[in-house]
Amino acid sequence: MTRYAVIRVPTSGPPALIAAPNVFASAAEAAARVAAIEQGQLKQHHTYLEVVAFDGPLADAMAAKGIQS
């Protein structure tokens, strides 16, 4: 079953999972989490948020993609 994780991608350094909640059953739920976070941002940061689809255990999937969990 495919799930969706929200990660932060800095301009320098490795991508990493955001703070919980960070895993969702649908891409729409993950996108809504990104929108909620971005709505509250008052200034621009040197990072952006991204939704990543994965299957299997979260830690294994993130490690395979080079994402810190």
Side-chain angles (χ1 to χ4, degrees):
M1 174 188 289
T2 300
R3 294 181 292 162
Y4 301 86
V6 178
I7 63 169
R8 62 175 174 76
V9 183
T11 54
S12 63
L17 283 171
I18 65 166
N22 52 22
V23 174
F24 302 90
S26 72
E29 290 173 323
R33 173 77 165 128
V34 169
I37 292 168
E38 290 177 343
Q39 180 181 19
Q41 296 296 321
L42 299 177
K43 57 183 173 179
Q44 190 169 3
H45 298 278
H46 298 285
T47 188
Y48 66 92
L49 301 175
E50 188 175 296
V51 175
V52 177
F54 72 96
D55 293 304
L58 177 62
D60 294 344
M62 296 300 104
K65 295 176 185 277
I67 300 168
Q68 295 179 348
S69 56

